[in-house]
Amino acid sequence: MAHKGKNLPAQERKMVIVETVLSLAADGKPSDITTAAIAERMNLTQGALFRHFPTKEDIWKAVLDWVGKNLFSRLDKAADDAASPVEALEAIFLAHVQFASEYPGAPRLLLSEFQRTEESPVRRLIHSLLKKYDSRVVALLEEGKKTGDVDPALESPFAAALFVGAIQGLVLQSQLEEDKRDELLKAHGVFAIYRRGIERRDSA
């Protein structure tokens, strides 16, 4: 985590602002976060905050951009070490759950913003991230069909939606439970069921 000193370079200050928003989102309702609350948590004035980000929307875009870059970086790294498309899917599944466990404010913020009905640059950014994620899962499922690991009759878009939904369910449960030690254990179990549903089964 970045330091919260008052004389940080601009880029470090922006990173601290991003971290502060994620921390506030983890502690309470993301929709209740104000620039005043961010400034107070950082022991700054709102004027100092707006020197780095002209508007609250700019802050939210920076936070979501950080979440997207760091999440996909972690997912890519996890998938790179996998020996097959299905193992890559499992690695991504577990890495995503781990990321959400480390940064609980991230999924809370994404869900809160996506629930807004009005169109906005932030909502479009979230939609872009979700589309990119979905495309990556579909691509791995299609690759699995080519290698013979995935059922060739599987409808990949539906399987991708189930993949994302399972992660969202686990993340939601983890936020309702005080003891998060078995979070990854649950993730392993859930993916095992998912895997049985997508794998190719040769006729006897």
Side-chain angles (χ1 to χ4, degrees), residues 24-25 27-33 108 112:
L24 287 167
D27 294 341
K29 291 175 60 177
S31 59
D32 290 343
I33 300 174
R108 289 170 63 90
S112 175

Side-chain angles (χ1 to χ4, degrees), residues 72-90:
F72 280 109
S73 175
R74 186 173 297 198
L75 300 186
D76 287 342
K77 184 176 180 180
D80 283 345
D81 296 330
S84 72
V86 172
E87 289 189 13
L89 284 168
E90 181 174 17

Side-chain angles (χ1 to χ4, degrees), residues 118-160:
E118 66 274 14
E119 194 60 41
S120 70
V122 171
R123 183 179 169 85
R124 286 193 292 271
L125 177 58
I126 295 174
H127 182 75
S128 176
L129 290 173
L130 292 176
K131 188 174 181 180
K132 179 180 178 181
Y133 195 108
D134 185 75
S135 296
R136 188 158 303 187
V137 175
V138 168
L140 283 170
L141 289 168
E142 291 299 314
E143 186 180 345
K145 291 180 184 180
K146 294 176 182 177
T147 60
D149 298 314
V150 172
D151 182 352
L154 183 77
E155 296 189 72
S156 296
F158 296 152

Side-chain angles (χ1 to χ4, degrees), residues 11-54:
Q11 279 305 115
E12 288 188 38
R13 172 67 70 198
K14 287 182 178 180
M15 187 61 243
V16 174
I17 293 171
V18 167
E19 292 174 348
T20 300
V21 172
L22 290 172
S23 176
L24 287 167
D27 294 341
K29 291 175 60 177
S31 59
D32 290 343
I33 300 174
T34 63
T35 53
I38 299 169
E40 182 179 1
R41 178 70 67 95
M42 296 179 65
N43 195 28
L44 294 175
T45 65
Q46 289 191 66
L49 194 67
F50 287 129
R51 281 199 292 272
H52 297 285
F53 295 105

Side-chain angles (χ1 to χ4, degrees), residues 105-199:
R108 289 170 63 90
L109 188 63
L110 283 166
L111 181 60
S112 175
E113 288 299 313
F114 201 67
Q115 287 178 327
R116 294 178 181 272
T117 56
E118 66 274 14
E119 194 60 41
S120 70
V122 171
R123 183 179 169 85
R124 286 193 292 271
L125 177 58
I126 295 174
H127 182 75
S128 176
L129 290 173
L130 292 176
K131 188 174 181 180
K132 179 180 178 181
Y133 195 108
D134 185 75
S135 296
R136 188 158 303 187
V137 175
V138 168
L140 283 170
L141 289 168
E142 291 299 314
E143 186 180 345
K145 291 180 184 180
K146 294 176 182 177
T147 60
D149 298 314
V150 172
D151 182 352
L154 183 77
E155 296 189 72
S156 296
F158 296 152
L162 184 60
F163 183 96
V164 174
I167 291 174
Q168 291 173 336
L170 284 168
V171 171
L172 178 61
Q173 287 183 38
S174 73
Q175 293 178 349
L176 297 175
E177 297 173 357
E178 292 184 6
D179 188 352
K180 296 179 171 53
R181 288 175 297 178
D182 63 346
E183 191 171 331
L184 280 179
L185 181 62
K186 284 184 180 180
H188 279 284
V190 170
F191 188 83
I193 295 172
Y194 180 83
R195 183 171 188 156
R196 288 198 294 271
I198 65 171
E199 283 185 320

